[in-house]
Amino acid sequence: MTSSPSGSDEQLPLGDPERGKRLWLTRAAQCHSMKKDDNRMGPTLYGIIGSQAGKAEGFWYSEANLASDVVWTEQALSQFLENPRKYMPGTKMAFAGLKKPQDRADLIAYMKQAGGLKR
């Protein structure tokens, strides 16, 4: 797997972190955290942007995630968030995805602000 399996070079719109926070609270916070070392049903997303997939300490990842060579750029995250199971077949993530590019951009903007940049 590559960091751009769909081959899409779609430009992300400018994200609104406030709108992204609302999306985070309704779509992601029940399974993920933005705090370091706070794995839940899903891994912590603290420091995810710029990190390699499958590397959060203490989380048990799917083989698909572990075997991927994905680096979570904003573009890769957007593609994953659009349709996780299409982007990474075999992922354990049970999330239908965010179809609207603006929603994905907003969520990523919030994640960046809330601690999502690689440390």
Side-chain angles (χ1 to χ4, degrees), residues 8-44:
S8 172
D9 291 326
E10 172 188 4
Q11 282 293 98
L12 291 175
L14 185 61
D16 176 351
E18 287 302 313
R19 192 166 177 283
K21 182 177 182 178
R22 290 190 296 274
L23 286 165
W24 172 266
L25 292 172
T26 60
R27 301 293 196 85
Q30 57 272 34
C31 295
H32 295 280
S33 170
M34 291 303 300
K35 295 178 183 171
K36 187 175 183 176
D37 301 324
D38 187 19
N39 294 317
R40 299 181 181 179
M41 181 179 290
T44 179

Side-chain angles (χ1 to χ4, degrees), residues 6 8 14-16 20 28 33 36 42-43 46 55 63 66-67 73 77-78 81 84 88 93-94 103 109 111 116:
S6 70
S8 172
L14 185 61
D16 176 351
S33 170
K36 187 175 183 176
Y46 176 86
K55 301 298 183 195
E63 287 299 319
L66 291 171
T73 63
L77 276 171
S78 179
L81 289 168
M88 189 176 291
M93 187 161 155
D103 287 347
M111 290 170 63

Side-chain angles (χ1 to χ4, degrees), residues 81-101:
L81 289 168
E82 181 178 11
N83 187 335
R85 290 176 186 228
K86 179 179 178 186
Y87 185 85
M88 189 176 291
T91 185
K92 295 189 306 181
M93 187 161 155
F95 176 63
L98 295 172
K99 303 307 176 206
K100 297 178 184 175

Side-chain angles (χ1 to χ4, degrees), residues 51-62:
S51 296
Q52 186 170 349
K55 301 298 183 195
E57 189 72 29
F59 187 77
W60 185 78
Y61 286 95
S62 66

